[in-house]
Amino acid sequence: MATIDLAPFFEERYEEIEAYLSFPQNVEDAAREGTPRLRGTDAPITTEQKKILNSSLYLQLYNLVEATVLRCLEAVVAAVEEAERRPSELSTGLRTEWVRSIARTHSDLGPDKRLQAALDLCEQLLQQMPVKGFKIEPGGGGNWDDSSIEKICERVGCGLTLSPDVLEAAKRHIRDDMGALKLVKNRRNGLAHGSLSFVDCSDGVTVAELKVLATAVGDYLREAVGCFVSFIQVEIAKSKEQMETEGVVA
């Protein structure tokens, strides 16, 4: 994914969240006049159905978090490859990720495959070939929240500088002593693994609270995307002349 596509990708996905939120909001508004019913069938929308409807937002928000982070990491790799950076031209963080990927240092390999991975790494170093075909391993799936995003940014060398209001909103405890992104991760995992029912998940949760949650998550991710874009444009997409001036390459 090109850097220029990161922000539009995020905004398109976030618009889906906003579009979905209008549905439970309409149901909640209709409930003020009595039991809401589906026009044409006169079937009532029950309290249990409203809770299930509200709980689905946690799944969508978590999908937004994970998809956004993975797209950002893909954009970093794409920028490195497009700039035809050699290993010596990579920052310490990105060089570490490249070695991890090519040498497969964190994979469970047999002796022959481990030797082949080491030879592949040596060949690229000896030939001083531009970095190609590597992947930033994001870590365990299903566990993306603000803490894990901060850790992956630190790993690759992307400075995550967020505005105080956005950071405060993301860290402020909403329920169960958890901030917005941690709560989304927790509720999503409970639903995905079956330890939490859709009815129980949003018991006592209003649409207004869900909107606050979605806004906190969205604002955090929006600024995180901006940090990745700046990181790519400033640190990766430098010209050879700029790198030589800064002493990055000999």
Side-chain angles (χ1 to χ4, degrees):
M1 164 168 282
T3 309
I4 195 173
D5 297 327
L6 281 179
F9 167 82
F10 168 76
E11 295 299 343
E12 181 180 333
R13 290 294 185 92
Y14 188 70
E15 285 175 5
E16 293 179 0
I17 300 294
E18 293 181 316
Y20 181 82
L21 270 171
S22 65
F23 185 22
Q25 181 64 69
N26 291 337
V27 173
E28 188 173 279
D29 291 343
R32 296 192 182 99
E33 305 298 326
T35 301
R37 296 179 181 275
L38 297 175
R39 183 176 297 176
T41 66
D42 203 36
I45 299 176
T46 67
T47 300
E48 288 74 16
Q49 289 170 330
K50 286 187 288 185
K51 290 179 180 178
I52 293 169
L53 186 65
N54 290 351
S55 294
S56 297
L57 183 72
Y58 294 102
L59 300 178
Q60 295 182 54
L61 281 173
Y62 184 80
N63 179 271
L64 175 69
V65 174
E66 183 165 336
T68 300
V69 175
L70 296 183
R71 287 299 180 102
C72 286
L73 296 179
E74 290 171 3
V76 168
V77 172
V80 169
E81 295 185 347
E82 183 178 351
E84 297 187 329
R85 291 284 175 257
R86 292 173 171 77
S88 61
E89 299 168 351
L90 297 178
S91 65
T92 301
L94 289 177
R95 191 182 305 132
T96 299
E97 294 303 320
W98 174 73
V99 171
R100 173 176 177 157
S101 177
I102 299 301
R104 301 171 71 182
T105 59
H106 290 58
S107 299
D108 186 14
L109 303 175
D112 291 341
K113 289 185 177 179
R114 188 166 295 283
L115 174 61
Q116 185 59 54
L119 289 173
D120 290 342
L121 175 64
C122 288
E123 183 66 20
Q124 292 201 41
L125 289 173
L126 290 172
Q127 297 296 327
Q128 275 295 294
M129 297 160 52
V131 170
K132 294 288 182 184
F134 86 106
K135 178 182 178 182
I136 298 174
E137 178 56 50
N143 289 298
W144 287 110
D145 57 21
D146 49 308
S147 295
S148 53
I149 291 173
E150 290 160 9
K151 288 178 182 177
I152 193 67
C153 285
E154 184 177 357
R155 265 178 54 191
V156 303
C158 172
L160 187 64
T161 305
L162 306 177
S163 61
D165 289 347
V166 167
L167 190 59
E168 181 183 355
K171 302 289 186 180
R172 184 186 301 120
H173 290 176
I174 297 176
R175 282 180 179 268
D176 302 331
D177 295 327
M178 288 183 281
L181 283 86
K182 285 183 171 57
L183 180 62
V184 166
K185 179 192 73 172
N186 178 270
R187 294 289 170 96
R188 176 265 180 188
N189 286 346
L191 292 170
H193 300 150
S195 60
L196 185 64
S197 75
F198 278 80
V199 171
D200 291 338
C201 179
S202 63
D203 187 29
V205 178
T206 64
V207 176
E209 181 179 320
L210 293 177
K211 287 183 175 180
V212 170
L213 179 69
T215 298
V217 171
D219 289 347
Y220 183 97
L221 292 176
R222 185 176 291 108
E223 292 200 0
V225 167
C227 292
F228 269 100
V229 170
S230 296
F231 171 62
I232 292 170
Q233 293 175 339
V234 175
E235 298 298 329
I236 298 177
K238 292 178 180 177
S239 66
K240 294 288 185 180
E241 291 76 13
Q242 285 177 297
M243 298 181 73
E244 289 173 357
T245 298
E246 296 173 11
V248 179
V249 295

